[in-house]
Amino acid sequence: MKTFALALFLTLAACATTGPAPHHVRARDLGTQAPQTLAPGTPIIVEFEAGDVIPVDLTIEGDLVGLVETPKVAVVAKRHFFLRIDKDGMRTSSDGKNFDEKVVRPGSFRIGLSVTSAGVRGQIGLTTPQKAP
């Protein structure tokens, strides 16, 4: 009976596998290597080093407002981290393995309009979640 229970446990554990293994790539290598064909649904883990620069495309469009010109915006990685992109969204990790680390402070997004004696100014802000050290 113990053998049957062990076999059942191993079978259930094998069924719990969540699809293909993630594809790992360094941020600095993106765009410099020949494109790879990945199976649909393959998670991707991008490794960022401190100092890696990521260009950002900012788009504001609609029937009420639009950008006068597209600004050149980029963000810089402050420290080494990993970004996992899969069917559930994007998550970060400090070790590339644990993408469910606890956060000390959640991320936030804000959009607003300020009016001062200097004039009217739009504001867009994004704060990433802060992970426990």
Side-chain angles (χ1 to χ4, degrees):
M1 191 58 133
K2 289 181 182 180
T3 304
F4 175 75
L6 178 60
L8 180 62
F9 173 77
L10 293 175
T11 301
L12 291 174
C15 292
T17 305
T18 58
H23 176 71
H24 182 271
V25 64
R26 292 175 190 229
R28 67 175 169 252
D29 295 335
L30 290 171
T32 62
Q33 299 176 338
Q36 294 184 353
T37 303
L38 300 177
T42 300
I44 298 173
I45 297 176
V46 182
E47 181 177 358
F48 290 90
E49 296 288 345
D52 284 346
V53 175
I54 306 116
V56 175
D57 294 326
L58 177 63
T59 305
I60 300 175
E61 53 188 37
D63 63 335
L64 298 176
V65 297
L67 291 174
V68 173
E69 62 183 79
T70 305
K72 290 191 180 253
V73 180
V75 296
V76 63
K78 291 183 174 181
R79 61 183 175 94
H80 184 235
F81 72 96
F82 299 82
L83 174 68
R84 180 184 172 112
I85 305 166
D86 60 27
K87 65 180 176 51
D88 297 323
M90 295 189 297
R91 294 175 288 159
T92 60
S93 167
S94 59
D95 64 6
K97 294 175 180 54
N98 181 9
F99 288 88
D100 295 317
E101 297 169 321
K102 300 282 185 194
V103 295
V104 176
R105 186 189 74 226
S108 64
F109 174 77
R110 71 180 189 284
I111 185 166
L113 192 68
S114 65
V115 180
T116 67
S117 58
V120 178
R121 189 147 187 102
Q123 301 167 340
I124 299 174
L126 175 67
T127 302
T128 60
Q130 180 181 347
K131 303 270 182 136

